[in-house]
Amino acid sequence: ELRFFNDTVRGHQIHFMRVVIISLFLLLINSGSTQNLTNPSWTSAAAGNADSRIKKISVQPDGSTIAMGSFRRGDFILGTHTLTENPLLDNHFIVKLNAAGQTQWLKGDFTTTYDIHTDSNGDVYVPSADTLYKLSGTDGSIIWKVNVEPTNGGYLKIFQVEELSGGEILIAGEGYSEDISANGFLLDRANTGYYLFTAKCDANGTFNSINAIDFNNFPMLNEMYLCKGTDNGYYLSFRADELTNNTLFGNVIVENPQPTNPSRTALVAYNEYGNAIWSMTFKGDSANAVIKEIQFNENNGEMMVSGNSYGAYGNFAPFSVINSSTVIESSCNGTSFQAFSLLIDTVSKTVV
């Protein structure tokens, strides 16, 4: 169940969302009253016999909603649109509902999908396995699709997609093989093994850059998060375990953890050329620390980082290469989880 709220607190308009995933059910709350938060403007629930869930939503300026989710074990029905389970796929879907909650279009036949991004025209970018799709926001038709694949038949998966300030489309993911190619653009890598990669293309799907970072073992990069920065640069967080070389670019270093716990997460800033310009590593004294989302504020250069730590017996410490950031006290211990959110000044690279 997805609930969208508007309310006024101390003269400020705020927007927030509560998500409870049971089955697919979209609900828009009437924002006409600042007191009544339980009167919906519309609701939309899935029919059919499939198990279904929403994983990500994007609310458009015109009030329409684009959502990504998955279903299994049967038929998935929204309005007059029906998808039938394909046993060879993970059965992810993209759906658009208009401002009145009516299903405008529904598209399926996507394998595992972690992210969607809508551009200023309302078109939708969808990473699905090793393929990036651009769908029409009007009817869901495929404008173009391009494969980003290892040339030697290895493994590759795209996890994140973001439109940068200069209009380029950035993807991030992981793979296993020697070389990566896209639209004839080839990254010739010297080493085999698991790698993290970022790649840029234009609005027509033509790629012009691919960068990779090697890992010793499987890097679990489905815990990767991406957001745009300034001047067509970007920020990326990922699990820092088992980096083959902890130097990302020049003197930019990610603190390289031991091959056993605790796991650590790196937050890395990249410029428009895909070169790392600084990094910050998050760890616990004896804990796993994982970033779950990052959001950058272009107006003041601050970034909100949220995530969780597990089994922290001491301090939870985000720190830079020179260990200059603030130590954050942690009361989490044993087998407990602890959520955290941090505000970071990206200019001084310190925790605010």
Side-chain angles (χ1 to χ4, degrees):
E1 177 182 338
L2 301 175
R3 297 189 177 189
F4 305 85
F5 298 104
N6 294 315
D7 201 4
T8 302
V9 177
R10 297 178 182 176
H12 298 284
Q13 189 75 11
I14 62 171
H15 311 273
F16 57 96
M17 176 183 71
R18 189 179 77 178
V19 181
V20 180
I21 298 178
I22 300 175
S23 62
L24 189 143
F25 184 82
L26 295 175
L27 180 148
L28 181 65
I29 298 300
N30 188 341
S31 60
S33 170
T34 60
Q35 301 298 320
N36 186 356
L37 299 180
T38 60
N39 182 27
S41 295
W42 57 260
T43 63
S44 180
N49 58 349
D51 297 333
S52 57
R53 64 183 62 193
I54 290 291
K55 295 185 176 181
K56 190 166 184 177
I57 60 171
S58 177
V59 180
Q60 305 305 295
D62 64 358
S64 62
T65 301
I66 295 174
M68 176 268 289
S70 63
F71 71 98
R72 60 178 181 169
R73 295 199 294 261
D75 291 338
F76 174 70
I77 302 173
L78 270 178
T80 60
H81 303 264
T82 301
L83 294 176
T84 299
E85 180 184 21
N86 183 337
L88 300 179
L89 299 176
D90 291 324
N91 293 288
H92 280 66
F93 62 86
I94 312 295
V95 61
K96 182 176 181 180
L97 294 88
N98 63 22
Q102 299 167 328
T103 303
Q104 186 169 332
W105 51 260
L106 174 66
K107 298 296 178 181
D109 289 334
F110 297 102
T111 188
T112 303
T113 302
Y114 296 90
D115 195 19
I116 55 173
H117 176 80
T118 54
D119 63 17
S120 57
N121 296 320
D123 295 329
V124 189
Y125 293 92
V126 183
S128 178
D130 64 359
T131 303
L132 178 65
Y133 294 83
K134 184 177 182 178
L135 306 183
S136 166
T138 302
D139 59 11
S141 61
I142 297 175
I143 297 175
W144 53 256
K145 66 177 182 178
V146 61
N147 291 97
V148 182
E149 55 191 353
T151 59
N152 297 332
Y155 155 89
L156 185 143
K157 187 174 289 186
I158 306 170
F159 290 115
Q160 295 280 304
V161 60
E162 185 77 16
E163 184 180 15
L164 299 180
S165 301
E168 290 183 299
I169 304 304
L170 178 74
I171 60 173
E174 69 182 16
Y176 179 86
S177 190
E178 183 173 319
D179 304 325
I180 314 172
S181 66
N183 278 353
F185 187 89
L186 176 68
L187 175 66
D188 187 6
R189 303 175 64 248
N191 300 313
T192 58
Y194 289 102
Y195 55 83
L196 170 158
F197 75 91
T198 59
K200 287 182 182 181
C201 69
D202 61 22
N204 296 315
T206 301
F207 280 83
N208 51 41
S209 67
I210 305 176
N211 296 295
I213 303 170
D214 291 326
F215 281 75
N216 290 326
N217 293 312
F218 191 75
M220 295 181 66
L221 295 177
N222 57 322
E223 294 177 350
M224 163 191 300
Y225 291 88
L226 183 71
C227 72
K228 70 176 181 179
T230 56
D231 299 327
N232 221 31
Y234 57 96
Y235 297 93
L236 179 66
S237 68
F238 56 88
R239 284 281 293 270
D241 297 7
E242 294 289 342
L243 279 173
T244 299
N245 185 341
N246 59 3
T247 301
L248 295 178
F249 182 80
N251 294 321
V252 179
I253 296 175
V254 169
E255 177 73 9
N256 199 3
Q258 299 299 313
T260 57
N261 284 342
S263 67
R264 301 176 184 179
T265 301
L267 172 63
V268 184
Y270 292 86
N271 62 19
E272 62 179 316
Y273 306 107
N275 297 326
I277 54 178
W278 61 262
S279 73
M280 183 179 290
T281 307
F282 295 77
K283 70 169 185 175
D285 289 351
S286 57
N288 295 304
V290 180
I291 292 177
K292 304 302 293 183
E293 188 168 2
I294 53 177
Q295 294 290 336
F296 177 70
N297 187 333
E298 294 185 68
N299 295 323
N300 59 17
E302 292 180 339
M303 173 175 289
M304 179 62 73
V305 174
S306 63
N308 61 57
S309 59
Y310 175 77
Y313 291 100
N315 294 324
F316 171 73
F319 62 95
S320 66
V321 176
I322 57 176
N323 299 325
S324 62
S325 294
T326 306
V327 172
I328 307 299
E329 295 291 337
S330 171
S331 60
C332 184
N333 57 60
T335 58
S336 300
F337 284 92
Q338 182 179 39
F340 66 85
S341 61
L342 302 171
L343 187 63
I344 297 173
D345 183 339
T346 61
V347 177
S348 64
K349 292 91 174 177
T350 56
V351 176
V352 177

